[in-house]
Amino acid sequence: MSPQELYPILERYARSQGIQLNRDRELVLAILEGLLQNEKRYGYRSCPCRLASGIREEDQDIICPCLYSKADLSQHGSCYCGLYVTPAWNQDQGDKPPVPERRPSRKGERPQLSK
Amino acid sequence: MNRSPRPLPARRSPCSAAAGLILLALLLSLIACSSLSLLDSGPHARVYTGQKIPELQLRDARGEAIRLPSLLDRAKKTVVVFYRGYWCPYSQEQLLVLRTRWPDFQARGGQIVAISADDPPMLAEFAYTIEKEYRSRTQESSAPEGTEFPILLLSDSSREAIRKLGIGEDHPRFGLIARPTTLILDREGTILWLQVGKSASDYPSADTLLRH
């Protein structure tokens, strides 16, 4: 699958969640390229803005859309990567600071998710 | 009507013709060289083959200051890889491939230094993750305990080196990052070969580097 093929699929998913893909199509395609690259390497689409371990159990929280995206969208209007954004975020033309990392840096502090 | 005789064309001496040819050849080779440098260093880069690498102040994973020239004495040739960042899947793959081919570089008396805008604490985690993936791919579980990732990772979190070499690009999430850039330096710091990638996945293969 190519980023261009994945784009409308994720666009439909975003719409169903009441959010949108970033209006910067070039950025979105670059993120999708990273997602597909990670899928090729690990077998799952881990966040291309974070360092994955390659072990599904350890990376559960950063499989896109990541566990932190809901909180980031509600607090900052954008997920960590800038792939998913709120409609208001997309309409605002001003500069926005990058979303701070919410994922705990220590492995032991990361949430354990069921498979 | 009397016509005045046409002036005879001026005769060129064989010496001036040869000088002209030499001049033309020199001009053509100059154009070829300059376009080659532009090709491999990219339109914004301020770094070319044949020049000396400028002084670069970097930091290691512990945050200690490191000058790039001080590392060059350790090997016959040094491959300097500027990668986009720990988060980039292509950087991860590139470092993994270089890690896998590390013995080939070592056998040729080479060393590899990898530089990014990542903060120093991230370097250790990146090295650990790549080493772990390398061992799981190669099933090299017999590696002695404490064996370290053999590629030296350095931080340019101030972006000074990236700016100095003119190899940066703006990333909406991570700010100024390096375009995938690879240089081969001799002990004196002369750039023997270089490539500035045009995209995240545009970096030279290990075989290409080993040929130089």
Side-chain angles (χ1 to χ4, degrees), chain A residues 51-68:
Chain A
L51 183 61
S53 70
I55 300 164
R56 185 185 276 269
E57 289 70 31
E58 285 180 18
D59 295 337
Q60 282 283 352
D61 60 329
I62 55 164
I63 294 178
C64 188
C66 71
L67 181 72
Y68 314 101

Side-chain angles (χ1 to χ4, degrees), chain A residues 51, chain B residues 60-62 83 119-130 149 153:
Chain A
L51 183 61
Chain B
D60 66 13
R62 288 170 301 177
Y83 61 97
D119 286 324
M122 218 44 231
L123 302 179
E125 193 173 338
F126 188 44
Y128 172 79
T129 307
I130 300 294
F149 185 62
L153 298 186

Side-chain angles (χ1 to χ4, degrees), chain A residues 21-45:
Chain A
L21 294 182
N22 193 313
R23 65 168 182 268
D24 183 346
R25 192 183 165 91
E26 210 176 303
L27 167 73
V28 170
L29 289 174
I31 294 172
L32 301 191
E33 195 183 336
L35 271 179
L36 293 169
Q37 181 72 10
N38 279 345
E39 184 176 36
K40 207 162 80 181
R41 287 174 73 195
Y42 306 130
Y44 50 89
R45 292 177 191 162

